[in-house]
Amino acid sequence: MKKIIATLTICVLFGNVTNAQDPNFSQFFASPMTLNPALTGKFDGEYRFAANYRNQWPSINRAYTTMTASLDMGILKNRIPEFDQFGVGIMAYSDKAGNGALNSTYYALSVAYHKALDEDGYHQIGAGFQGTYMNKRLNTQELKFQDQLTPMGFTGVTQESFASNQVNLNYFDINAGVIYNGSTNGYNNFYLGASMYHINRPKESFQEGSFLLNSRVTLQAGARIPVGTYNSLHIAGNHSMQAKATNTMIGGAFSLNVNNDEENPTNFYLGSWYRFGDALIPYVGLEFGEWHFGASYDVNTSALKAASNSRGGVEISLIYVRKHTDPNMKKLNCPKF
Protein backbone atom coordinates (compact mmCIF):
# COMPACT_ATOMS: atom_id res chain seq x y z
CA MET A 1 0.00 0.00 0.00
CA LYS A 2 3.03 2.27 0.06
CA LYS A 3 2.36 3.26 -3.56
CA ILE A 4 -1.09 4.74 -3.04
CA ILE A 5 -0.95 8.16 -4.71
CA ALA A 6 -4.50 9.05 -5.57
CA THR A 7 -7.52 8.70 -3.34
CA LEU A 8 -5.82 8.34 0.02
CA THR A 9 -3.09 10.86 -0.84
CA ILE A 10 -5.78 13.44 -1.56
CA CYS A 11 -7.40 12.72 1.81
CA VAL A 12 -4.10 13.07 3.68
CA LEU A 13 -3.09 16.26 1.90
CA PHE A 14 -6.48 17.86 2.45
CA GLY A 15 -6.35 16.91 6.13
CA ASN A 16 -3.01 18.71 6.47
CA VAL A 17 -4.18 21.81 4.63
CA THR A 18 -7.20 22.22 6.87
CA ASN A 19 -5.03 21.71 9.95
CA ALA A 20 -7.31 19.02 11.37
CA GLN A 21 -6.97 15.27 11.70
CA ASP A 22 -10.21 14.16 13.33
CA PRO A 23 -13.51 14.71 11.52
CA ASN A 24 -15.11 17.94 12.73
CA PHE A 25 -18.19 20.08 12.16
CA SER A 26 -18.34 23.77 11.32
CA GLN A 27 -21.49 23.88 13.46
CA PHE A 28 -19.56 22.49 16.42
CA PHE A 29 -22.11 24.02 18.80
CA ALA A 30 -24.83 21.84 17.25
CA SER A 31 -22.95 18.57 17.83
CA PRO A 32 -22.49 18.51 21.62
CA MET A 33 -21.28 14.94 22.10
CA THR A 34 -18.49 15.27 19.51
CA LEU A 35 -17.40 18.59 21.03
CA ASN A 36 -17.13 17.70 24.72
CA PRO A 37 -18.31 14.61 26.65
CA ALA A 38 -19.14 16.96 29.54
CA LEU A 39 -22.01 18.37 27.43
CA THR A 40 -23.87 15.07 27.84
CA GLY A 41 -27.21 15.90 29.47
CA LYS A 42 -26.40 19.61 29.46
CA PHE A 43 -29.76 20.99 28.35
CA ASP A 44 -33.11 21.95 29.83
CA GLY A 45 -35.62 19.24 28.94
CA GLU A 46 -36.48 15.55 29.15
CA TYR A 47 -34.17 14.29 26.37
CA ARG A 48 -32.25 15.64 23.37
CA PHE A 49 -31.74 14.20 19.90
CA ALA A 50 -29.08 15.73 17.65
CA ALA A 51 -28.13 14.90 14.06
CA ASN A 52 -25.52 16.40 11.76
CA TYR A 53 -24.53 15.96 8.12
CA ARG A 54 -21.47 17.41 6.39
CA ASN A 55 -20.30 17.07 2.78
CA GLN A 56 -16.82 18.59 2.54
CA TRP A 57 -15.30 19.67 -0.79
CA PRO A 58 -18.16 18.27 -2.91
CA SER A 59 -16.42 19.40 -6.11
CA ILE A 60 -13.61 16.88 -5.47
CA ASN A 61 -15.60 13.64 -5.83
CA ARG A 62 -16.97 13.28 -2.28
CA ALA A 63 -13.69 13.89 -0.48
CA TYR A 64 -15.33 13.69 2.96
CA THR A 65 -18.90 12.86 4.01
CA THR A 66 -19.61 12.90 7.75
CA MET A 67 -22.81 12.07 9.65
CA THR A 68 -23.61 11.72 13.32
CA ALA A 69 -26.67 11.10 15.49
CA SER A 70 -26.90 11.22 19.29
CA LEU A 71 -29.45 10.89 22.07
CA ASP A 72 -28.85 12.06 25.64
CA MET A 73 -30.95 12.70 28.74
CA GLY A 74 -30.87 13.44 32.44
CA ILE A 75 -31.47 10.61 34.91
CA LEU A 76 -32.07 10.15 38.65
CA LYS A 77 -33.57 13.64 38.86
CA ASN A 78 -35.43 12.82 42.08
CA ARG A 79 -32.31 11.46 43.78
CA ILE A 80 -29.82 14.27 43.22
CA PRO A 81 -29.86 17.94 44.33
CA GLU A 82 -32.42 20.17 42.62
CA PHE A 83 -30.15 22.01 40.16
CA ASP A 84 -27.70 19.16 39.56
CA GLN A 85 -27.89 17.11 36.38
CA PHE A 86 -26.73 13.53 35.78
CA GLY A 87 -26.57 12.87 32.04
CA VAL A 88 -26.13 9.75 29.91
CA GLY A 89 -26.03 9.50 26.15
CA ILE A 90 -25.30 7.37 23.10
CA MET A 91 -23.91 8.39 19.73
CA ALA A 92 -23.25 6.90 16.29
CA TYR A 93 -20.80 8.54 13.92
CA SER A 94 -19.90 7.81 10.29
CA ASP A 95 -17.12 9.35 8.19
CA LYS A 96 -16.35 8.42 4.58
CA ALA A 97 -13.22 9.69 2.86
CA GLY A 98 -11.90 9.45 -0.69
CA ASN A 99 -15.19 8.55 -2.40
CA GLY A 100 -15.74 5.70 0.05
CA ALA A 101 -12.20 4.31 0.01
CA LEU A 102 -11.87 4.82 3.77
CA ASN A 103 -14.95 4.29 5.95
CA SER A 104 -14.91 5.02 9.69
CA THR A 105 -17.75 4.14 12.07
CA TYR A 106 -17.90 5.11 15.75
CA TYR A 107 -20.26 4.00 18.53
CA ALA A 108 -20.00 5.94 21.79
CA LEU A 109 -21.48 5.88 25.29
CA SER A 110 -21.19 9.03 27.43
CA VAL A 111 -21.86 9.95 31.03
CA ALA A 112 -21.56 13.33 32.77
CA TYR A 113 -22.42 14.98 36.05
CA HIS A 114 -23.11 18.70 36.49
CA LYS A 115 -22.91 20.20 39.96
CA ALA A 116 -24.68 23.45 40.88
CA LEU A 117 -22.37 25.91 42.66
CA ASP A 118 -25.06 28.21 44.08
CA GLU A 119 -28.59 27.91 45.46
CA ASP A 120 -30.21 29.38 42.32
CA GLY A 121 -28.40 27.06 39.92
CA TYR A 122 -26.93 29.99 37.99
CA HIS A 123 -23.43 28.50 38.08
CA GLN A 124 -22.52 24.89 37.39
CA ILE A 125 -19.43 22.84 36.78
CA GLY A 126 -19.49 19.45 35.10
CA ALA A 127 -17.28 16.58 34.01
CA GLY A 128 -17.96 13.85 31.48
CA PHE A 129 -16.44 10.65 30.13
CA GLN A 130 -16.98 8.86 26.84
CA GLY A 131 -16.04 5.39 25.67
CA THR A 132 -15.97 4.80 21.92
CA TYR A 133 -15.73 1.68 19.78
CA MET A 134 -14.24 2.48 16.39
CA ASN A 135 -14.15 0.49 13.15
CA LYS A 136 -12.26 1.56 10.03
CA ARG A 137 -12.63 -0.22 6.70
CA LEU A 138 -10.34 0.31 3.74
CA ASN A 139 -12.09 -0.51 0.46
CA THR A 140 -9.19 -1.49 -1.78
CA GLN A 141 -11.37 -1.50 -4.89
CA GLU A 142 -11.61 2.29 -4.63
CA LEU A 143 -7.82 2.79 -4.40
CA LYS A 144 -5.56 3.92 -7.23
CA PHE A 145 -1.86 3.04 -7.41
CA GLN A 146 1.15 4.41 -9.22
CA ASP A 147 1.52 1.39 -11.50
CA GLN A 148 -2.05 1.91 -12.78
CA LEU A 149 -1.21 5.32 -14.25
CA THR A 150 -1.25 5.43 -18.06
CA PRO A 151 -1.62 8.26 -20.61
CA MET A 152 -5.37 7.57 -20.39
CA GLY A 153 -5.48 7.95 -16.60
CA PHE A 154 -5.57 5.24 -13.92
CA THR A 155 -6.58 2.52 -16.36
CA GLY A 156 -3.79 -0.01 -15.83
CA VAL A 157 -3.74 -3.10 -13.62
CA THR A 158 -1.96 -2.84 -10.28
CA GLN A 159 0.52 -5.39 -9.01
CA GLU A 160 -0.51 -4.67 -5.43
CA SER A 161 -2.34 -7.57 -3.78
CA PHE A 162 -4.69 -7.80 -0.80
CA ALA A 163 -6.12 -10.75 1.04
CA SER A 164 -9.62 -9.33 0.48
CA ASN A 165 -11.36 -6.23 -0.82
CA GLN A 166 -11.95 -5.00 2.73
CA VAL A 167 -9.19 -4.28 5.26
CA ASN A 168 -10.53 -3.71 8.78
CA LEU A 169 -9.24 -1.99 11.88
CA ASN A 170 -10.94 -1.89 15.31
CA TYR A 171 -10.07 -0.25 18.60
CA PHE A 172 -11.54 1.23 21.80
CA ASP A 173 -11.13 4.94 22.54
CA ILE A 174 -11.48 7.02 25.73
CA ASN A 175 -12.47 10.70 25.84
CA ALA A 176 -13.18 13.14 28.68
CA GLY A 177 -14.05 16.77 29.29
CA VAL A 178 -15.01 19.47 31.78
CA ILE A 179 -17.25 22.51 31.43
CA TYR A 180 -18.28 25.54 33.47
CA ASN A 181 -21.35 27.63 32.71
CA GLY A 182 -22.80 30.62 34.51
CA SER A 183 -25.28 33.47 34.44
CA THR A 184 -25.50 36.79 36.24
CA ASN A 185 -29.29 37.13 36.10
CA GLY A 186 -30.83 33.95 34.68
CA TYR A 187 -31.21 35.46 31.19
CA ASN A 188 -27.66 35.73 29.91
CA ASN A 189 -25.35 32.73 29.81
CA PHE A 190 -21.68 32.01 29.30
CA TYR A 191 -19.59 28.85 29.28
CA LEU A 192 -16.01 27.64 29.10
CA GLY A 193 -15.01 24.04 28.46
CA ALA A 194 -12.09 21.74 27.64
CA SER A 195 -12.01 18.19 26.34
CA MET A 196 -9.46 15.55 25.37
CA TYR A 197 -10.06 12.80 22.83
CA HIS A 198 -7.98 9.61 22.30
CA ILE A 199 -6.64 9.76 25.86
CA ASN A 200 -5.44 6.16 25.61
CA ARG A 201 -3.77 6.82 22.22
CA PRO A 202 -4.99 3.65 20.47
CA LYS A 203 -2.91 1.96 17.79
CA GLU A 204 -4.15 2.85 14.31
CA SER A 205 -2.54 0.96 11.44
CA PHE A 206 -3.86 -1.31 8.68
CA GLN A 207 -0.51 -3.07 8.38
CA GLU A 208 2.23 -4.02 10.78
CA GLY A 209 3.40 -0.91 12.58
CA SER A 210 3.13 1.00 15.80
CA PHE A 211 1.40 4.24 14.80
CA LEU A 212 -0.45 5.64 17.81
CA LEU A 213 -3.34 8.04 17.29
CA ASN A 214 -2.45 11.45 18.71
CA SER A 215 -4.62 12.86 21.47
CA ARG A 216 -6.76 15.88 20.54
CA VAL A 217 -7.30 18.71 23.02
CA THR A 218 -10.23 21.05 22.40
CA LEU A 219 -11.06 24.35 24.12
CA GLN A 220 -14.49 25.94 23.67
CA ALA A 221 -16.23 29.05 24.95
CA GLY A 222 -19.39 30.98 24.21
CA ALA A 223 -22.07 33.29 25.50
CA ARG A 224 -25.70 34.28 25.00
CA ILE A 225 -26.22 38.03 25.38
CA PRO A 226 -29.82 39.36 25.49
CA VAL A 227 -30.53 42.20 23.07
CA GLY A 228 -33.69 44.07 23.96
CA THR A 229 -36.64 42.16 25.40
CA TYR A 230 -36.76 39.05 23.21
CA ASN A 231 -33.71 38.93 20.93
CA SER A 232 -30.17 37.78 21.69
CA LEU A 233 -26.64 37.59 20.34
CA HIS A 234 -24.86 34.22 20.45
CA ILE A 235 -21.07 34.04 20.19
CA ALA A 236 -18.88 30.94 20.31
CA GLY A 237 -15.33 29.84 19.62
CA ASN A 238 -13.56 26.52 19.37
CA HIS A 239 -9.84 25.71 19.26
CA SER A 240 -8.45 22.20 18.88
CA MET A 241 -4.90 20.86 18.84
CA GLN A 242 -3.80 17.43 17.63
CA ALA A 243 -0.11 16.69 17.14
CA LYS A 244 1.14 19.73 15.19
CA ALA A 245 -2.27 20.49 13.69
CA THR A 246 -4.58 23.22 14.97
CA ASN A 247 -8.13 24.22 14.12
CA THR A 248 -9.51 27.56 15.34
CA MET A 249 -13.05 28.85 14.76
CA ILE A 250 -14.81 31.93 16.07
CA GLY A 251 -18.03 33.71 15.21
CA GLY A 252 -21.60 34.38 16.22
CA ALA A 253 -25.22 34.71 15.19
CA PHE A 254 -28.05 37.11 15.97
CA SER A 255 -31.29 35.51 17.15
CA LEU A 256 -34.49 37.34 16.18
CA ASN A 257 -37.60 36.33 18.11
CA VAL A 258 -40.23 36.73 15.39
CA ASN A 259 -43.27 35.99 17.58
CA ASN A 260 -42.19 38.03 20.63
CA ASP A 261 -42.86 35.07 22.91
CA GLU A 262 -40.31 34.38 25.62
CA GLU A 263 -41.68 31.00 26.77
CA ASN A 264 -42.34 29.46 23.33
CA PRO A 265 -40.23 31.50 20.92
CA THR A 266 -39.83 31.20 17.19
CA ASN A 267 -36.25 32.33 16.64
CA PHE A 268 -34.53 33.06 13.35
CA TYR A 269 -30.72 32.93 13.44
CA LEU A 270 -28.35 34.68 11.06
CA GLY A 271 -24.60 34.78 11.50
CA SER A 272 -21.19 33.60 10.40
CA TRP A 273 -18.11 31.79 11.67
CA TYR A 274 -14.53 31.90 10.46
CA ARG A 275 -12.10 29.00 10.45
CA PHE A 276 -8.67 30.61 10.51
CA GLY A 277 -6.65 29.93 7.39
CA ASP A 278 -9.42 27.93 5.74
CA ALA A 279 -13.00 29.17 5.34
CA LEU A 280 -15.71 31.75 5.95
CA ILE A 281 -18.89 30.01 7.13
CA PRO A 282 -22.27 31.77 6.76
CA TYR A 283 -24.97 30.28 9.00
CA VAL A 284 -28.77 30.40 9.17
CA GLY A 285 -30.98 28.71 11.74
CA LEU A 286 -34.61 28.35 12.73
CA GLU A 287 -35.93 27.38 16.18
CA PHE A 288 -39.58 26.73 16.94
CA GLY A 289 -41.30 24.61 19.55
CA GLU A 290 -38.91 21.77 20.40
CA TRP A 291 -36.97 21.90 17.11
CA HIS A 292 -33.83 23.71 16.02
CA PHE A 293 -32.56 23.54 12.42
CA GLY A 294 -29.25 24.94 11.21
CA ALA A 295 -27.52 25.22 7.83
CA SER A 296 -24.07 26.50 6.96
CA TYR A 297 -21.76 26.59 3.97
CA ASP A 298 -17.97 26.69 4.03
CA VAL A 299 -16.63 29.22 1.52
CA ASN A 300 -13.05 28.07 1.10
CA THR A 301 -10.49 30.88 1.43
CA SER A 302 -7.26 28.85 1.66
CA ALA A 303 -4.86 27.76 -1.07
CA LEU A 304 -7.29 24.92 -1.84
CA LYS A 305 -9.89 27.30 -3.29
CA ALA A 306 -8.49 26.80 -6.80
CA ALA A 307 -9.14 23.06 -6.63
CA SER A 308 -12.38 23.30 -4.65
CA ASN A 309 -13.79 26.29 -6.58
CA SER A 310 -14.17 27.90 -3.13
CA ARG A 311 -16.74 25.19 -2.31
CA GLY A 312 -15.70 24.09 1.14
CA GLY A 313 -18.84 22.13 1.92
CA VAL A 314 -22.43 22.16 3.07
CA GLU A 315 -23.51 21.26 6.60
CA ILE A 316 -26.96 20.68 8.12
CA SER A 317 -27.87 20.21 11.78
CA LEU A 318 -31.02 19.21 13.63
CA ILE A 319 -31.64 19.31 17.38
CA TYR A 320 -34.84 18.18 19.08
CA VAL A 321 -35.27 18.83 22.81
CA ARG A 322 -38.29 17.29 24.48
CA LYS A 323 -39.65 19.84 26.95
CA HIS A 324 -40.38 18.95 30.54
CA THR A 325 -43.81 17.40 31.07
CA ASP A 326 -43.79 18.46 34.73
CA PRO A 327 -44.73 22.17 34.94
CA ASN A 328 -43.13 22.38 38.40
CA MET A 329 -39.73 21.26 37.14
CA LYS A 330 -37.07 23.87 37.88
CA LYS A 331 -35.48 25.37 34.78
CA LEU A 332 -31.80 24.50 34.38
CA ASN A 333 -29.31 27.17 33.37
CA CYS A 334 -27.56 25.66 30.34
CA PRO A 335 -25.56 26.89 27.35
CA LYS A 336 -28.05 27.57 24.58
CA PHE A 337 -27.61 27.98 20.88
Side-chain angles (χ1 to χ4, degrees), residues 45-46 73-87 113 324-330 332:
E46 296 289 337
M73 65 186 70
I75 61 173
L76 304 179
K77 295 183 178 181
N78 296 325
R79 299 185 181 183
I80 59 178
E82 184 176 30
F83 289 108
D84 287 10
Q85 180 84 326
F86 187 7
Y113 192 89
H324 289 298
T325 56
D326 183 358
N328 298 317
M329 181 70 67
K330 294 290 186 180
L332 292 178

Side-chain angles (χ1 to χ4, degrees), residues 29 223 233-237 250-254 270-274 281 283 337:
F29 45 83
L233 176 65
H234 299 257
I235 57 176
I250 190 169
F254 182 78
L270 181 63
S272 180
W273 269 256
Y274 180 68
I281 309 164
Y283 167 82
F337 193 94

Side-chain angles (χ1 to χ4, degrees), residues 13-32:
L13 289 177
F14 284 177
N16 291 335
V17 171
T18 56
N19 295 324
Q21 294 180 348
D22 279 353
N24 66 91
F25 291 102
S26 293
Q27 296 179 50
F28 57 90
F29 45 83
S31 183

